[in-house]
Amino acid sequence: MQQLVAVRLHIDNCQHEHGPLKVVAGTHQYGRINESTLPQLRDQKGEHECTLSKGGAVIMRPLIVHSSSKAIQTNGRRVPHFLYAPGNLAEIIPFQFCI
């Protein structure tokens, strides 16, 4: 899982009112984190909203602690999410589609 990279392409604007992705910076370096410690870790390190204009991209490690809020104002929030992995991981992790 530590070798995966996710790319999220924003087709629509994603500002605070649209319920953007929120991340806790640096947490991808901890590996798998026990769910019971997540709130404390978030409170210690802080949370960052990934607000972007349409056409923007977020590149992240999927192991980073992340969530998104419910949208206050809807605009579609269309975000294709691409996951990149080394070829040998496709043999271990059952991806639905591999290119």
Side-chain angles (χ1 to χ4, degrees):
M1 291 293 290
Q2 293 171 336
Q3 297 177 37
L4 300 178
V5 174
V7 178
R8 298 169 49 91
L9 300 175
H10 287 258
I11 295 172
D12 300 306
N13 288 326
C14 190
Q15 302 304 313
H16 172 76
E17 60 273 9
H18 305 129
L21 181 73
K22 297 184 291 186
V23 298
V24 179
T27 53
H28 64 286
Q29 298 171 356
Y30 294 110
R32 292 188 74 118
I33 300 170
N34 186 315
E35 192 173 334
S36 64
T37 63
L38 292 177
Q40 180 184 13
L41 188 59
R42 181 197 61 220
D43 293 345
Q44 285 175 350
K45 296 183 98 18
E47 196 171 58
H48 174 73
E49 281 190 342
C50 299
T51 57
L52 293 164
S53 298
K54 65 181 177 180
V58 173
I59 301 171
M60 62 184 237
R61 297 278 185 187
L63 283 180
I64 196 166
V65 174
H66 64 283
S67 66
S68 59
S69 304
K70 200 171 218 176
I72 299 166
Q73 180 184 81
T74 60
N75 72 336
R77 196 169 71 175
R78 296 173 296 169
V79 182
H81 186 106
F82 300 94
L83 192 59
Y84 294 92
N88 62 339
L89 273 183
E91 299 168 9
I92 300 167
I93 300 173
F95 293 107
Q96 187 171 2
F97 301 106
C98 291
I99 297 174

